[in-house]
Structures are given as structure tokens and as C-alpha cells.
């Protein structure tokens, strides 16, 4: 297979998900990369098939049927390195390259450990999440649980990989050694391959390496990398992330059903799905120098990816996953975490709390059903808002920067240190939001997706709202490792759907102005944003110069209080959404909520 | 009009089938049966020894001593067996002015002595865990030291959702219509080791009484969320169950709310009234879905006599004339018959374009429903 980006023109990419394997064909036509065909089939990692390549092959066959292009080499024998026809001079058949991502079998599941919850444990969590893992639990010396409780939890969870961090280089080894002892006491066994040792990445105080190895070598395969926090002010996530990727490929995936074969089909390492999504988000942010927030809301989990600038104006990537906030398998958990009232406040009709919970419980046990009535659709969209809100809260707590010099103190003082963190997520500075997952990508009306994200994220200032058309970000993420330009072209042309720009002024609650800001397009006044109101302005031009002038010194439209904002933008399909509802939205008393929501839906034309 | 495609796999409800259940030890152990053995559900087929917890004894920190002081004067060595209360370390300083000791907190074996920090790992005594056959049948195969597969010819009813793990009991059909609520007075006075079956739902009082009277299982059409929360003591948010620490396993055959138990489920279970069964409420709604189950092993002779007559339902394929149940609003819970299967996508009330079918409800009304919102009954 070819991997030189200059010579490849046809690339087949799969994402092997928990339920579905999605195959996409990327082709370079007349110098432009495009996504051309799509096929999908049920993933086959479970018994009785228990071979992921069967589902992948079924997805390839669907592409063959739709495109008329021969991809599979029917004559390939058992000893062939892969089952594909490789393109030669005849460009009408075969492929140049096959790539894949995977989250089958529940994805990569990890436990991380560190000494101080808000320092090394948090860094370890960021490294694991950035590598595409679901973090099952975080253990730290100061997490308030006794050793027996932690031991039982680790043993019960059966992670794929553990990441142990703790201690700055040259500091005391005492606490990280104690953590190693707790892991020894738990002696966790890996999820796959009962006879194998648990893969463990050690990224803590380098002085403790030998002690940790002595304690854990009988129960774990230990990979030692550079310290994740060599000093309090430094965070060094890359070596740990790379080690996790490596262990994922060689210890976790290679023992999953059929993956041994799949890994041989591609010359490029198979990536965990969320890691690939993170890569394309980061690539996009870098290319356009924009601050990005991306949400992928699935059936069981919600992933949030962000790139925001730190205090030195450097872009910082973060990913979090809220493991039990989803739209089917864990939909009822959104109610448990948010409460029925929080969901009901977004509904344009009144409903009994028991009825609401009952409907969602039934969706949970029959996840493949779809809303038939508008009421049912609005309920799912209300759940989505709350899942986004809770997931962003979680993301904010972890997406933090480190700043300022900390005085080096004794290790015992470490437990009191957390002052060098600052939150990176700043909604007023956010340029682009990307929504992904069925409820956002396949909403019957694109403005419904936009409104879910405006409400759920509590968007502020000027933000471009987009959705991933058919969830191809994982495919593009792994493709970007071969051709960053090709992946970017497809991402912007075929993947991102530019819905609209939201303009949401922020103002003091006591503000008396009715008109919050005036909107100018190419120098001409076109509308005013009215307090507590929402409106959509259609724009016929594709590119405009947008000027937003706040009505008073206390109103912030994204450039600071009272400062006008001027920006050249590519106009989305639905133009501009002028949202005068202050954030966070203060909801009416319960009796009036439904009426107010219905008015909003009617104004947007989605009722 | 055309035959439909595969839908959500329908739940299995059959009076006769053959199934295999794998029994796996939590750790390597001993399999105490042979291929071909006839076993009852309660028979022990495997046994494992689960190592006790490893207790890390941090003696230097506890007694305020140095690592060297502790390591040099330990009274035990690695692999020594100690009893709870046995002195494992003793010290005396300044000609006996300061003295003290450290006792083993539990019975166990000294597994490690860390000479770098003076910590001791004391492994508690192991416990024996027995593994039963769960279902009556024949030992089909054995994976030495690890697992056993039991083959059984049985009636199998899968529920849609359950809580609670494996239990055994005798099926007890309650004298309640399948569309009625089971009330307190319907619960038999002696419900110990019974699996109570019936109704569209249980009242909270009836459910409570069934537990108090020792029922090992409750099988009903549906239950609302409030009752489930009261039953468990906490809210369920994720469809991943089976490990609940409860005495009575609860299996719902239809869903949440109040839903008439399907005729087929009712008929199959009624035909085994009084017979022993194995049940499991474990539910996992995602890839590799696990649904709760009720298994009644059939007498061997019946199977042989009627082997060619084993009833197998076609799975998951819709066709005109099929009986279905609608599983989403606005017709949630209604039974119907498929009367038309349009091929083209149809715009539904939400604005989404999707594949639909036309179904005749029990009252004769014909309605349009997305194909993903029905299940075959």
C-alpha cells in the first residue's frame, strides 16, 4: 500500500464502533480530496462471529455495490497481507491505502492514579483522555477513600491499561510507592486476555522508578516514560499519551477479536476513535487559528473536545468524556444527573415528571427507536441540551491551564496546592462549535441543532455553529496522519455543515436596555438584538463583513464590555441567529416555561 | 409493497429450544464435573479459591520508626503464615524504656517485605467460591480450570429489562389477568422460592410483599420508574444491570409503565406453572446485548419425542400480516398487524425522512409508524 500523500488518490477508511462499522471512501479528483461513498454494517466483535474484519468486509461490500468500484480482491488467499485490490494504472478499481479507527468493545478503558487530585492525578487524567480513553476511575492519595475501598474498586473495574503518575522529579517517592502498593493489593486483571499482565504506564517521579518496578513487576507490564509533571509548573503529557497509544495497539487491540488481522491490513497504526476526532479538531483549529469546541454526543457517552488559547496565547487541546451521558443506552442517567425539572424547562409543552421519566426509560431499553411525534423529538432534544450542559461543566473542570510560579514546598504541602490552575474554556472567545452524533447531525431541522448547542453550551458572543454531516471526523482524524491537507479539504467541504452564526450579547441582569446591540452587514444596519428575544436573519451573500455594536458600555458582544466587534465571516445556511436571552438563561416560573419555549420554536420556524 | 429489512432483534419467547450457558470461574480453579454429566441447576460444577485481600502494613509510619529499625527486627519472613493478633514486630529502645510491638490484623501469609520503606504485604486467607450449573442439563464441554458449558433443552423467555442476578425457583402463575395490576391480595402467603408471574404491572405494595414473603423472582409486564426506584433504593440511569444486591430478581417482559404482558409470554410461562426454572435479570442494552431470561429445562423424553417439532420463531424480519407491537409514542404499547410496507422514505411528523410501515391497530384504525419503532410479537 502507498502512504506517500503525493501518490495516493483513493483511500478506504473504517471506524469500527461498538455497534456499527462505518466505511468511507476518500478520493482525490482533479486535485481536490472529497468523500465519495459510504457503507456500513454491524460490528462483529461479539460472539458468535467474534471477528471485527467480517463487519468491516461487509461495509466494504456496501461501498462496492453503491460505487461500482471493485475494492475486495476475491482471489486473495489466507496468506495475503490484506484483502484489497491495490490501484495500479487502472484507476477505476482498488484502493491505494486502508486506514481504521476503533472504539469497538467499549473503547479504551483506563484507571489513572496520582498523588494530588488537582495536580498529578488531573494531569494523568488529561493524558489518558487525550489518548482517547474512557477514564473509569481516578485514584489519588488525597481522594478521601480508604485503601480497601480503592483496592476493591480497581479490582472490580478491570481496566485495559493503568497510568500511574505522582511526584515531581527529585521530590519524595513515598506517596507514589504507596499508590503502587495499593495497585499491588488490587492486582487488577486486564479486560481482555485473562492470562496476561496488566499494561501499566508509569509517568511519575523518576526517582521512584525502581521501587515502583520492584513492587509491580509481578502483576504488570510496566512502561516507564518521562514524568507527566516534572515540576509543579510543567505538564508533559505527550510521552504518556504515546505510550498509551502503543499499549493500546499491542496489548489491547491485538487481543480483541479479529484485530490481529485488521492491524495487518493497514500500514498506519489503528487509532482509538476519540483520539482521531481530537486530531482533526486540532488540525482544523491550527490551520484556521480558531478556538474550537466540539461535542460528540453518542448513545452512551458524550465527548467534548476543545482548543482554547492559554494566557500565553498558545492553543491548548483538551478532551473529556462524560461516560454516562448519552442519548440511548444512558439517556435515563441524564435525568438522574440533571433532574426532570432541568429537562422539562426546555420543553414547549407541559408534561408530568413520571411520564417524562417513563418515556426516557423506554428509550433506554429500546435504543434504536426514533421520535415519531414532535413532542418526543423535543424531549430528546431537551435531554441533549442537558447532556451538553453537564458534559461542558465536566470539560471546564479539566480543561485548565497552568500558570505562575509555584514555590517548591515539601511534599506534604502538595495537598494544598491548586492555585496555579486557570480555566481555559471561555465561551466569549469561542470561534467555532462543532456538533456531532445522531441527535445533532440528524436533527430534522438544522436550526434545531443550532438551538440545542446555543442552549446546552450557554453560548456567548459571536460563534459559528456547525455540525458533522455524517460523523466522519474519526475517519478524517486518522487520514490526517497521512495527509493533513487532504483531511482538511474533506473536513471543510464534505464534513462540516455551516448552519449559522449565533450572536449572543452578555449583559448585567439589571440591564434596562431593550435593544442590546445593532447588527451591520457590509456597513448597512440590518437588525437589532432585542433583550429576551431570539430571531433568525437570512443573509443572501456567502461572505460578509459583520459588525456588532453593543448598545451600552455594559453589554459584551465578544470583544469586551461596550466594544464593537467586526469580523469577516462565511455565512451559514441559516444566516445569523440573534439571541437576546442572557446566559445562563433564567427560566420562567414553571407554568410559563412551555409557552415561552413554544414562542422561541415558532420564531425559529421549528414548531 | 415489499418485505422489510432486519429490525431490532426480537426477544426470544419459545416453549422449546436448545441453549448453551457458559459457567466461568472468576479465577483459575477446579472443574468438578465431566463432559456428558447430567446436572441440576443447583449442582456445583466448579470451585475456585479467591485470594484474600492484600493488607499493606506500614509499620514505620504507624510506630514512628525508621525503615531500618523495622526491617532489621521483624519477627516474620516472607511466606510465613501468621494469625490475627500475632506479634510480627517488636522493638525496645533506650534499655527498654520505650517498647512496643505490631500485631497482624488478620490471619494470612506474609507475601512481601519491602526493604526500601519497611512496608509489609499480608495476604488474608483465601475463600472458596462454588460455581453452580445455573440451569439443569448436560455438561457439553469443559475448559480445564476455567469454565463449563451446560447444554439444556428448555423453554426460554427473554424479558426486555431486569434487575437482580441468577436465581432459581418454581414458576407460580398468579390469578391475575395479563392486563391487570397485581395487588397485595394476589401474592400467595407462602411465596418462598417461588417465581411469581403475572399482570401488566405490580402495585408497590404487592412488590414489597412478594419480597417479604421470600419470592426469588417477579415476572410482570411493566413497572413505572418510581416503583423501580423504591424497589432498588436508588434510581437506574443506565441499562446495565444484574449485579444488584437484592433478594428478588425482577424481570419486565414489556417495558416501563403499565403494559399488558404479551399473550405469547403469558402462554409459554402458564404452560410451565409449578415447574422449576432458572432466572437472571442481567440486562445490557448495547453491542452484544444481554436480556433477562427465564429458563425452564424440559424433561429429556419430551424433547426426543417431539424433536422435529421444535418451534422456532423467525427472527427480526417484518412482513405483511405479521403481528407487531408499537414501542414508541404516539401508539406506544399498542398491538397491531402490518398491512403495508412502503419502500420509499416517508416524511413523519418530526420532519425526518424515514422508512415506515402501515399497521392496523386492534380497533381497526390504520396508522403509519417508523419501522424502527415496532417489534415482532
Amino acid at each position: 500500500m502507498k502512504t506517500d500523500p503525493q501518490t495516493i488518490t483513493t483511500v478506504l477508511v473504517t471506524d469500527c464502533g461498538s455497534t456499527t462499522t462505518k466505511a468511507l471512501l476518500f478520493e482525490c479528483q482533479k486535485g481536490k480530496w472529497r468523500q465519495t461513498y459510504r457503507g456500513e454494517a454491524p460490528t462483529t466483535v461479539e460472539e458468535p462471529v467474534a471477528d471485527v474484519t467480517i463487519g468491516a468486509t461487509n461495509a466494504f461490500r456496501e461501498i462496492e455495490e453503491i460505487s461500482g468500484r471493485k475494492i475486495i480482491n476475491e482471489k486473495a488467499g489466507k496468506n495475503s497481507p490484506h484483502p484489497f485490490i491495490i490501484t495500479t494504472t487502472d484507476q477505476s478499481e482498488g484502493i491505494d491505502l486502508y486506514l481504521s479507527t476503533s472504539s469497538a468493545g467499549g473503547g479504551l478503558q483506563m484507571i489513572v492514579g496520582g498523588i494530588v487530585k488537582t495536580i498529578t492525578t488531573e494531569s494523568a487524567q488529561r493524558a489518558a483522555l487525550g489518548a482517547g480513553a474512557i477514564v473509569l476511575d481516578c485514584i489519588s492519595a488525597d481522594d478521601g477513600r480508604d485503601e480497601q475501598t480503592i483496592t476493591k474498586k480497581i479490582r472490580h473495574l478491570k481496566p485495559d491499561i493503568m497510568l500511574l503518575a505522582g511526584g515531581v522529579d527529585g521530590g519524595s517517592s513515598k506517596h507514589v510507592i504507596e499508590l503502587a502498593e495499593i495497585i499491588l493489593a488490587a492486582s487488577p486483571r486486564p479486560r481482555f486476555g485473562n492470562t496476561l499482565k496488566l499494561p501499566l504506564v508509569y509517568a511519575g517521579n523518576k526517582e521512584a522508578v525502581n521501587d515502583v518496578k520492584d513492587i509491580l513487576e509481578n502483576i504488570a507490564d510496566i512502561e516507564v516514560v518521562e514524568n507527566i509533571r516534572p515540576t509543579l509548573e510543567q505538564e508533559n503529557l505527550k510521552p504518556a499519551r504515546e505510550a498509551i497509544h502503543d499499549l493500546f495497539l499491542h496489548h489491547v487491540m491485538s487481543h480483541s477479536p479479529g484485530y490481529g488481522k485488521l492491524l495487518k491490513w493497514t500500514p498506519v497504526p489503528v487509532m482509538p476513535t476519540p483520539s482521531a476526532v481530537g486530531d482533526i479538531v486540532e488540525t482544523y483549529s491550527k490551520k484556521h487559528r480558531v478556538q474550537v469546541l466540539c461535542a460528540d454526543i453518542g448513545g452512551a457517552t458524550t465527548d467534548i473536545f476543545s482548543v482554547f488559547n492559554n494566557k500565553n496565547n498558545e492553543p491548548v487541546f483538551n478532551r473529556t468524556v462524560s461516560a454516562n451521558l448519552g442519548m440511548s443506552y444512558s439517556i435515563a442517567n441524564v435525568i438522574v444527573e440533571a433532574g426532570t425539572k432541568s429537562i422539562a424547562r426546555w420543553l414547549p409543552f407541559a408534561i408530568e415528571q413520571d411520564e417524562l421519566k417513563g418515556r426516557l426509560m423506554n428509550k433506554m431499553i429500546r435504543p434504536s427507536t426514533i421520535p415519531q411525534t414532535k413532542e418526543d423529538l423535543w424531549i430528546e432534544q431537551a435531554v441533549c441540551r442537558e447532556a451538553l450542559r453537564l458534559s461542558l461543566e465536566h470539560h471546564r473542570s479539566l480543561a485548565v491551564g497552568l500558570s505562575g510560579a509555584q514555590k517548591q514546598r515539601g511534599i506534604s504541602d502538595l495537598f494544598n496546592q491548586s492555585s496555579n490552575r486557570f480555566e481555559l474554556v471561555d465561551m466569549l472567545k469561542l470561534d467555532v462549535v462543532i456538533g456531532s452524533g445522531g441527535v445533532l447531525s440528524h436533527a430534522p431541522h438544522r436550526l434545531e441543532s443550532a438551538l440545542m448547542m446555543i442552549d446546552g453550551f450557554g453560548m456567548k458572543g459571536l460563534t459559528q455553529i456547525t455540525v458533522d454531516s455524517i460523523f466522519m471526523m474519526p475517519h478524517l482524524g486518522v487520514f490526517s496522519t497521512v495527509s493533513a491537507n487532504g483531511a482538511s479539504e474533506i473536513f471543510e467541504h464534505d464534513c462540516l455543515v455551516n448552519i449559522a452564526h449565533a450572536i449572543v450579547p452578555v449583559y448585567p441582569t439589571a440591564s434596562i436596555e431593550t435593544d442590546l446591540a445593532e447588527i451591520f452587514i457590509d456597513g448597512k444596519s440590518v437588525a437589532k438584538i432585542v433583550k429576551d428575544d431570539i430571531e433568525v436573519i437570512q443573509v443572501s451573500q456567502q461572505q460578509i463583513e459583520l459588525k456588532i455594536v453593543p448598545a451600552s458600555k455594559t453589554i459584551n458582544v465578544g470583544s469586551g464590555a461596550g466594544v464593537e466587534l467586526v469580523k469577516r465571516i462565511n455565512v451559514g445556511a441559516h444566516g445569523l441567529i440573534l439571541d437576546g436571552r442572557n446566559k445562563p438563561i433564567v427560566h420562567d416560573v414553571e407554568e410559563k416555561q412551555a409557552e415561552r419555549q413554544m414562542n422561541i420554536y415558532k420564531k425559529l420556524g421549528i414548531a | 409493497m415489499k418485505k422489510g429489512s432486519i429490525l431490532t432483534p426480537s426477544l426470544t419467547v419459545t416453549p422449546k429450544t436448545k441453549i448453551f450457558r457458559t459457567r466461568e470461574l472468576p479465577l483459575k480453579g477446579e472443574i468438578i464435573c465431566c463432559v456428558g454429566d447430567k446436572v441440576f441447576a443447583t449442582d456445583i460444577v466448579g470451585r475456585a479459591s479467591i485470594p484474600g485481600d492484600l493488607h499493606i502494613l506500614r509499620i514505620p509510619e504507624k510506630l514512628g520508626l525508621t525503615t531500618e529499625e523495622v526491617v532489621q527486627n521483624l519477627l516474620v519472613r516472607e511466606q510465613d503464615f501468621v494469625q490475627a493478633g500475632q506479634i510480627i514486630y517488636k522493638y525496645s529502645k533506650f534499655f527498654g524504656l520505650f517498647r512496643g510491638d505490631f500485631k497482624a490484623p488478620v490471619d494470612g501469609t506474609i507475601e512481601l517485605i519491602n526493604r526500601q520503606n519497611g512496608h509489609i504485604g499480608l495476604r488474608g486467607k483465601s475463600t472458596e467460591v462454588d460455581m453452580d450449573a445455573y440451569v439443569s442439563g448436560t455438561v457439553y464441554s469443559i475448559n480445564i480450570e476455567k469454565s463449563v458449558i451446560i447444554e439444556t433443552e428448555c423453554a426460554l423467555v427473554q424479558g426486555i429489562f431486569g434487575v437482580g442476578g441468577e436465581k432459581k425457583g418454581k414458576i407460580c402463575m398468579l390469578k391475575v389477568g395479563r392486563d391487570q395490576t397485581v395487588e397485595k391480595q394476589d401474592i400467595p402467603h407462602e411465596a418462598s422460592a417461588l417465581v411469581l408471574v403475572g399482570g401488566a404491572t405490580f402495585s408497590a405494595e404487592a412488590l414489597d410483599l412478594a419480597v417479604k414473603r421470600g419470592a426469588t423472582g417477579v415476572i410482570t409486564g411493566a413497572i413505572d420508574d418510581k416503583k423501580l426506584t423504591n424497589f432498588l433504593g436508588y434510581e437506574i440511569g443506565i441499562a446495565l444491570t444484574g449485579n444488584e444486591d437484592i433478594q428478588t430478581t425482577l424481570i419486565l417482559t414489556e417495558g416501563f409503565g403499565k403494559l399488558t404482558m404479551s399473550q405469547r409470554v403469558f402462554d409459554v410461562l402458564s404452560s410451565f406453572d409449578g415447574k422449576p426454572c432458572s432466572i437472571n435479570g442481567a440486562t445490557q442494552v448495547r453491542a452484544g446485548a444481554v436480556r433477562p431470561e427465564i429458563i425452564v429445562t424440559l424433561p429429556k423424553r419430551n424433547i426426543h419425542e417431539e424433536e422435529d417439532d421444535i418451534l422456532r420463531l423467525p427472527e427480526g424480519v417484518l412482513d405483511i400480516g405479521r403481528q407487531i407491537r408499537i414501542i414508541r409514542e404516539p401508539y406506544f404499547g399498542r398491538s397491531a398487524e402490518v398491512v403495508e410496507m412502503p419502500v420509499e422514505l416517508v416524511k413523519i411528523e418530526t420532519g425526518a425522512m424515514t422508512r415506515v410501515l402501515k399497521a392496523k391497530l386492534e380497533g381497526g384504525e390504520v396508522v403509519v409508524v417508523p419501522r424502527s419503532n415496532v417489534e415482532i410479537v
Side-chain angles (χ1 to χ4, degrees):
Chain A
M1 284 194 190
K2 302 169 196 169
T3 51
D4 177 3
Q6 304 303 320
T7 58
I8 54 173
T9 57
T10 311
V11 180
L12 178 66
V13 193
T14 49
D15 172 47
C16 305
S18 287
T19 37
T20 313
T21 297
K22 288 143 281 193
L24 296 179
L25 196 66
F26 296 154
E27 292 180 88
C28 187
Q29 297 168 339
K30 295 178 186 167
K32 305 275 184 203
W33 277 98
R34 294 288 178 265
Q35 184 269 317
T36 50
Y37 296 99
R38 177 172 187 260
E40 65 177 50
T43 296
T44 48
V45 290
E46 313 281 350
E47 294 291 349
V49 182
D51 181 350
V52 73
T53 61
I54 303 296
T57 308
N58 291 340
F60 304 155
R61 289 198 193 284
E62 194 166 306
I63 287 191
E64 282 187 326
E65 280 169 26
I66 298 168
S67 66
R69 186 184 191 92
K70 287 287 293 170
I71 291 172
I72 300 167
N73 180 2
E74 304 293 352
K75 291 176 190 160
K78 277 189 177 173
N79 296 327
S80 301
H82 58 73
F84 305 110
I85 298 168
I86 299 298
T87 309
T88 52
T89 45
D90 178 7
Q91 295 285 320
S92 66
E93 66 169 24
I95 57 166
D96 295 319
L97 176 64
Y98 169 67
L99 304 167
S100 190
T101 63
S102 173
S103 59
L108 167 61
Q109 302 188 1
M110 290 183 66
I111 292 178
V112 302
I115 296 177
V116 185
K117 199 154 62 172
T118 55
I119 302 180
T120 40
T121 312
E122 200 175 88
S123 292
Q125 203 178 350
R126 278 194 283 274
L129 289 164
I134 287 174
V135 176
L136 300 170
D137 198 10
C138 299
I139 54 172
S140 55
D142 65 338
D143 71 9
R145 294 177 292 181
D146 61 47
E147 281 185 22
Q148 295 292 325
T149 308
I150 297 174
T151 304
K152 281 183 184 152
K153 193 79 192 281
I154 296 174
R155 199 177 290 158
H156 172 71
L157 288 174
K158 279 197 169 188
D160 294 317
I161 299 173
M162 280 194 80
L163 169 60
L164 177 60
V168 295
D169 283 339
S172 164
S173 302
K174 180 175 177 283
H175 291 88
V176 76
I177 288 173
E178 286 183 7
L179 278 176
E181 288 171 346
I182 292 173
I183 296 169
L184 173 69
S187 295
R189 289 184 304 151
R191 199 156 52 112
F192 297 116
N194 265 347
T195 55
L196 304 165
K197 287 184 190 173
L198 178 80
L200 183 142
V201 177
Y202 177 70
N205 179 359
K206 61 184 179 190
E207 311 282 320
V209 169
N210 289 334
D211 290 321
V212 169
K213 275 184 168 175
D214 284 347
I215 294 167
L216 295 175
E217 64 187 356
N218 287 333
I219 63 150
D221 269 335
I222 304 165
E223 179 80 23
V224 177
V225 296
E226 289 170 35
N227 194 343
I228 215 163
R229 284 297 274 269
T231 67
L232 279 177
E233 296 78 28
Q234 277 182 293
E235 190 172 65
N236 180 23
L237 303 180
K238 204 176 168 197
R241 269 191 203 165
E242 285 173 352
I244 293 166
H245 274 172
D246 196 45
L247 290 172
F248 173 70
L249 272 178
H250 297 107
H251 285 252
V252 183
M253 291 212 58
S254 56
H255 295 113
S256 307
Y259 275 93
K261 210 171 6 165
L262 189 87
L263 293 172
K264 287 179 191 152
W265 287 3
T266 169
V268 176
V270 173
M271 291 175 83
T273 302
S275 174
V277 175
D279 274 12
I280 193 70
V281 170
E282 224 177 339
T283 305
Y284 176 73
S285 162
K286 208 171 172 181
K287 184 179 169 194
H288 295 278
R289 294 185 183 172
V290 286
Q291 302 190 63
V292 184
L293 182 69
C294 170
D296 173 21
I297 180 161
T301 62
T302 297
D303 282 52
I304 304 278
F305 305 84
S306 73
V307 183
F308 281 95
N309 292 347
N310 64 13
K311 289 185 175 170
N312 298 325
N313 223 23
E314 298 152 343
V316 180
F317 169 78
N318 272 288
R319 174 210 169 221
T320 53
V321 54
S322 297
N324 291 322
L325 296 175
M327 292 305 300
S328 60
Y329 177 67
S330 54
I331 193 167
N333 197 53
V334 182
I335 276 212
V336 173
E337 289 203 18
T340 35
K341 282 187 180 175
S342 294
I343 289 170
R345 66 188 171 160
W346 301 111
L347 294 175
F349 61 94
I351 186 168
E352 291 291 326
Q353 291 191 22
D354 289 347
E355 165 75 9
L356 178 59
K357 183 85 191 276
R359 285 199 198 189
L360 294 178
M361 295 288 274
N362 278 311
K363 166 78 179 183
M364 174 181 79
I365 56 174
R366 293 181 170 105
S368 57
T369 60
I370 61 168
Q372 181 173 0
T373 63
K374 286 226 166 186
E375 277 197 0
D376 249 15
L377 177 75
W378 289 330
I379 288 175
E380 288 200 6
Q381 293 183 345
V383 173
C384 171
R385 285 170 170 85
E386 286 302 303
L388 291 178
R389 182 180 66 80
L390 292 168
S391 302
L392 183 61
E393 262 177 31
H394 178 214
H395 187 78
R396 278 174 183 275
S397 70
L398 270 175
V400 294
L402 308 172
S403 72
Q406 279 282 307
K407 281 184 183 169
Q408 183 74 51
R409 290 182 253 178
I411 193 78
S412 55
D413 292 330
L414 277 177
F415 294 111
N416 301 319
Q417 292 185 23
S418 58
S419 55
N420 63 338
R421 308 162 79 244
F422 67 91
E423 207 176 275
L424 285 165
V425 175
D426 181 348
M427 298 306 283
L428 275 163
K429 291 184 177 156
L430 176 64
D431 296 300
V432 183
V433 65
I434 304 168
S436 186
V439 66
L440 293 172
S441 293
H442 301 142
H445 199 299
R446 295 288 190 201
L447 276 176
E448 290 167 344
S449 308
L451 198 58
M452 279 185 265
M453 287 189 270
I454 291 173
D455 292 343
F457 287 142
M459 277 160 52
K460 297 171 182 173
L462 171 66
T463 316
Q464 183 185 2
I465 304 175
T466 66
V467 288
D468 174 359
S469 58
I470 53 166
F471 193 52
M472 65 170 95
M473 289 204 286
H475 307 76
L476 293 172
V478 67
F479 183 42
S480 73
T481 62
V482 178
S483 171
N485 285 338
S488 283
E489 270 180 39
I490 298 171
F491 186 59
E492 286 161 44
H493 190 271
D494 298 322
C495 176
L496 277 193
V497 177
N498 183 2
I499 300 177
H501 282 74
I503 306 167
V504 188
V506 178
Y507 50 94
T509 29
S511 182
I512 51 166
E513 287 90 354
T514 309
D515 293 339
L516 300 170
E518 190 168 2
I519 309 297
F520 296 82
I521 293 178
D522 295 332
K524 192 178 160 194
S525 173
V526 292
K528 284 181 177 169
I529 304 178
V530 179
K531 188 179 177 184
D532 294 330
D533 199 8
I534 188 163
E535 195 179 354
V536 177
I537 303 284
Q538 293 294 343
V539 181
S540 53
Q541 304 97 304
Q542 287 193 329
Q543 269 207 341
I544 58 167
E545 186 187 78
L546 179 69
K547 186 164 84 172
I548 311 161
V549 182
S552 82
K553 286 181 180 172
T554 58
I555 298 169
N556 188 347
V557 294
S559 297
V563 181
E564 67 178 43
L565 190 154
V566 182
K567 197 170 182 181
R568 191 139 197 96
I569 63 166
N570 289 319
V571 179
H574 294 277
L576 305 174
I577 301 172
L578 313 182
D579 185 359
R581 300 169 302 161
N582 213 0
K583 301 296 180 314
I585 293 172
V586 178
H587 289 267
D588 278 318
V589 289
E590 274 181 51
E591 300 77 56
K592 288 189 179 174
Q593 275 174 14
E595 188 186 331
R596 182 184 155 89
Q597 280 300 114
M598 183 54 89
N599 284 338
I600 292 169
Y601 282 30
K602 281 183 178 163
K603 287 207 97 173
L604 295 191
I606 54 178
Chain B
M1 292 187 289
K2 199 179 167 183
K3 202 176 231 186
S5 57
I6 301 285
L7 294 176
T8 316
S10 51
L11 301 171
T12 303
V13 179
T14 174
K16 297 187 194 85
T17 187
K18 185 191 282 183
I19 60 167
F20 298 87
R21 287 293 175 266
T22 303
R23 313 296 294 152
E24 201 169 350
L25 287 167
L27 287 174
K28 270 190 179 180
E30 186 190 1
I31 298 299
I32 47 177
C33 58
C34 300
V35 173
D37 281 359
K38 303 278 181 283
V39 291
F40 288 107
T42 49
D43 285 350
I44 303 303
V45 293
R47 187 167 286 143
S49 178
I50 309 290
D53 290 338
L54 183 69
H55 300 259
I56 303 292
L57 311 179
R58 301 197 168 96
I59 300 175
E61 287 88 342
K62 292 265 188 212
L63 299 181
L65 301 170
T66 64
T67 300
E68 292 72 30
E69 283 173 316
V70 172
V71 171
Q72 284 166 12
N73 296 301
L74 276 174
L75 303 177
V76 290
R77 286 178 300 183
E78 283 175 357
Q79 304 310 319
D80 281 358
F81 177 77
V82 295
Q83 288 182 316
Q86 180 182 332
I87 295 171
I88 58 173
Y89 172 74
K90 197 183 243 179
Y91 73 98
S92 170
K93 280 181 162 182
F94 295 105
F95 310 103
L97 197 59
F98 298 105
R99 61 178 66 186
D101 57 35
F102 193 96
K103 299 184 180 83
V106 294
D107 290 352
T109 307
I110 304 294
E111 191 164 295
L112 67 100
I113 297 170
N114 187 333
R115 292 177 195 282
Q116 305 299 319
N117 59 13
H119 295 176
I120 291 171
L122 170 61
R123 176 74 66 187
K125 275 169 52 175
S126 56
T127 45
E128 296 291 309
V129 173
D130 287 341
M131 173 176 79
D132 70 23
Y134 173 51
V135 290
S136 300
T138 308
V139 177
Y140 176 77
S141 71
I142 285 172
N143 190 351
I144 295 167
E145 297 181 336
K146 287 183 182 169
S147 60
V148 181
I149 297 176
I150 312 288
E151 175 188 10
T152 183
E153 285 159 334
C154 61
L156 174 67
V157 174
Q158 284 186 315
I160 188 80
F161 181 81
V163 288
E166 293 175 358
K167 297 277 181 337
K168 288 127 201 145
K170 276 187 182 168
I171 291 179
C172 171
M173 295 303 292
L174 301 173
K175 291 176 179 51
V176 181
R178 59 189 182 88
D179 57 348
Q180 303 295 308
T181 299
V182 176
E183 301 290 357
K184 249 170 102 172
Q185 59 273 20
D186 301 317
I187 306 299
H189 286 283
E190 186 43 72
S192 176
L194 292 184
V195 174
L196 306 179
V197 182
T201 189
F202 268 52
S203 71
E205 296 75 24
L207 196 53
D208 193 37
L209 194 60
V211 175
K212 278 188 185 144
R213 290 184 175 168
T216 51
V218 164
I219 320 291
T220 188
I223 201 163
D224 67 38
D225 170 62
K226 257 189 191 162
K227 284 182 214 160
L228 181 64
T229 303
N230 286 339
F231 179 69
L232 286 173
Y234 57 89
E235 283 186 276
I236 285 261
I238 305 155
L240 181 62
T241 66
N243 290 320
E244 297 74 21
D245 186 17
I246 49 177
Q247 172 203 319
T248 308
T249 287
L250 171 67
I251 295 177
L252 310 179
T253 59
E254 316 302 321
F256 289 94
K258 182 184 175 185
L259 296 165
T260 302
M261 183 183 282
S262 83
Q263 186 71 53
R264 187 168 180 80
V265 170
F266 185 82
D267 289 346
V268 169
L269 293 177
S270 294
S271 64
F272 294 99
D273 193 8
K275 297 277 187 279
C277 68
S278 303
I279 60 171
N280 189 353
T283 309
Q284 183 186 316
V285 186
R286 64 184 307 180
V290 175
R291 293 290 184 180
E293 61 186 14
I294 303 132
I295 297 166
V296 188
T297 299
L298 301 174
K300 191 74 181 168
R301 57 190 173 80
N302 285 357
I303 279 288
H304 282 301
E305 282 165 12
E306 302 168 28
E307 200 155 33
D308 295 335
D309 192 30
I310 286 182
L311 187 59
R312 291 184 197 281
L313 277 182
E315 280 187 19
V317 180
L318 273 183
D319 203 355
I320 290 167
R322 285 304 297 253
Q323 290 297 311
I324 56 167
R325 189 210 327 268
I326 303 169
I327 52 175
R328 190 84 195 228
E329 301 294 338
Y331 310 108
F332 181 71
R334 305 276 296 270
S335 296
E337 181 191 326
V338 180
V339 292
E340 197 179 325
M341 306 262 295
V343 176
E344 63 280 3
L345 299 178
V346 171
K347 191 173 188 176
I348 57 173
E349 184 190 318
T350 59
M353 298 292 289
T354 188
R355 295 191 83 185
V356 300
L357 56 79
K358 287 186 180 172
K360 193 201 275 181
L361 301 176
E362 278 167 338
E365 185 190 354
V366 174
V367 296
V368 173
V369 187
R371 291 191 191 184
S372 53
N373 290 0
V374 303
E375 65 187 14
I376 295 166
V377 291

